Amino acid sequence: MMDKFTFFWCLIIVAMTFFFIGVYKNFAVKIGFILWVNNRRHNGEGIGWRENLALLIPLPNRQVVMDEALLQRRIKNRSEFLWLRHLLIFSGFVVIFALDLFLTFAGHYAHHYFHYEYFLSGPGKGLLKFGMELSGAALFIGLSLGMIHRIVYAKAEKTYVELKLLLLLWLVTATGFLAEGIRLAGQPNDPLMLSSFIMRPIAQWLGTSFSWNWPVLADGVWCLHATFAAAFFAYIPFSKFIHILSAPLGRSITQNGEYAYQKRQRISEGLL
């Protein structure tokens, strides 16, 4: 029978296939078109290839990246509530993703070459778990607010908010919390129990109220969580979220001229 990590890596291979197809179709081709239009304006006559390349693909404008991709100032101009929603989602996602990557690769691969005992079996692992739960809570709150707002103001928000992507990420976060709670319910003496300030009381209630096969149930919910995570990853380039890459780069390439103005009018204001 396939173990859960083999199942996970099979999902990753499938998800990466769809992800790169989407990146090519909805990002690379569009950026290529922008470069083609830009090349018609700067045909390179009389200048060297380095100068022409700098005209075609300038370094991304840091202010544009900060304003459009990170801080989303245009969302703040629309509504403080919407900006708070975005901030919770963006910061929660980035932090939990970074911590999870570190814990996964340090715990399963890098520890063969480097010694990370502090983060693998020492107090540092509890700190990582606490940080993941805190950022996961921020992400879950932001996603819940986003879904409620998207449903209530469906007609007005349809252009800006990708409901399917929002729902997928909400399911990823919810099943992640659920998988951790079920795991802790079956391991009441886990030393990391104290680091779980959200799921600890839920796990203790589950463990004392029900007599289920917690390890089997935990593996099943974990596989469900992994499936939603892979689906979310695969769907990103087919959603409005691809603008987090295309908007800053496209605007940096076309900072001046009528084409730049047209691009500014078309790009969506929201990522989720």
Side-chain angles (χ1 to χ4, degrees):
M1 183 178 178
M2 184 185 298
D3 64 84
K4 65 180 185 180
F5 289 107
T6 304
F7 172 77
F8 174 73
W9 283 111
C10 289
L11 281 176
I12 288 297
I13 292 172
V14 174
M16 286 182 64
T17 301
F18 281 97
F19 178 84
F20 286 120
I21 291 173
V23 167
Y24 171 76
K25 180 180 179 181
N26 296 319
F27 177 72
V29 171
K30 292 179 181 179
I31 293 300
F33 176 74
I34 294 174
L35 291 175
W36 176 74
V37 171
N38 213 36
N39 190 41
R40 295 179 66 186
R41 194 167 69 246
H42 304 291
N43 58 23
E45 293 180 2
I47 62 176
W49 68 269
R50 288 187 180 89
E51 291 81 1
N52 190 46
L53 186 63
L55 288 171
L56 290 176
I57 312 178
L59 290 175
N61 187 308
R62 285 177 293 178
Q63 191 62 43
V64 171
V65 173
M66 182 65 67
D67 290 343
E68 302 294 340
L70 299 181
L71 298 180
Q72 282 288 301
R73 294 191 185 278
R74 289 199 297 166
I75 293 180
K76 191 174 183 179
N77 293 335
R78 289 178 59 211
S79 166
E80 293 283 348
F81 168 80
L82 295 178
W83 183 75
L84 175 62
R85 176 208 65 184
H86 164 77
L87 189 64
L88 288 170
I89 294 173
F90 182 80
S91 60
F93 178 82
V94 168
V95 172
I96 196 172
F97 183 73
L99 293 177
D100 190 47
L101 276 182
F102 176 81
L103 190 60
T104 299
F105 285 99
H108 293 286
Y109 305 105
H111 76 281
H112 295 297
Y113 310 99
F114 306 99
H115 297 289
Y116 294 104
E117 282 79 7
Y118 181 78
F119 291 107
L120 299 181
S121 57
K125 189 170 184 179
L127 292 175
L128 287 176
K129 285 287 188 180
F130 179 84
M132 290 175 67
E133 191 152 306
L134 181 62
S135 55
L139 177 60
F140 186 78
I141 292 171
L143 290 168
S144 299
L145 291 175
M147 288 184 63
I148 293 171
H149 186 267
R150 173 62 174 80
I151 293 171
V152 173
Y153 298 98
K155 188 174 294 186
E157 291 296 306
K158 183 178 181 180
T159 304
Y160 304 120
V161 180
E162 183 75 57
L163 183 58
K164 288 181 285 189
L165 189 70
L166 197 66
L167 178 59
L168 269 177
L169 188 53
W170 188 90
L171 289 171
V172 172
T173 310
T175 52
F177 274 114
L178 184 60
E180 180 67 5
I182 292 174
R183 185 189 71 81
L184 291 175
Q187 301 175 13
N189 297 321
D190 190 315
L192 295 177
M193 180 75 82
L194 294 177
S195 301
S196 184
F197 67 100
I198 293 177
M199 298 311 298
R200 181 176 70 243
I202 298 175
Q204 290 172 341
W205 174 77
L206 287 173
T208 56
S209 302
F210 305 96
S211 299
W212 293 336
N213 191 335
W214 297 112
V216 173
L217 186 59
D219 285 347
V221 176
W222 187 93
C223 288
L224 183 65
H225 168 68
T227 302
F228 284 133
F232 170 77
F233 180 74
Y235 184 64
I236 285 176
F238 298 95
S239 70
K240 289 184 174 70
F241 199 79
I242 196 65
H243 290 146
I244 198 172
L245 297 175
S246 62
L249 182 56
R251 291 186 188 198
S252 295
I253 293 172
T254 61
Q255 293 180 62
N256 302 306
E258 179 63 22
Y259 186 72
Y261 175 78
Q262 293 175 6
K263 286 295 294 179
R264 287 181 172 88
Q265 298 304 308
R266 294 176 185 174
I267 293 175
S268 172
E269 294 182 347
L271 296 179
L272 280 176

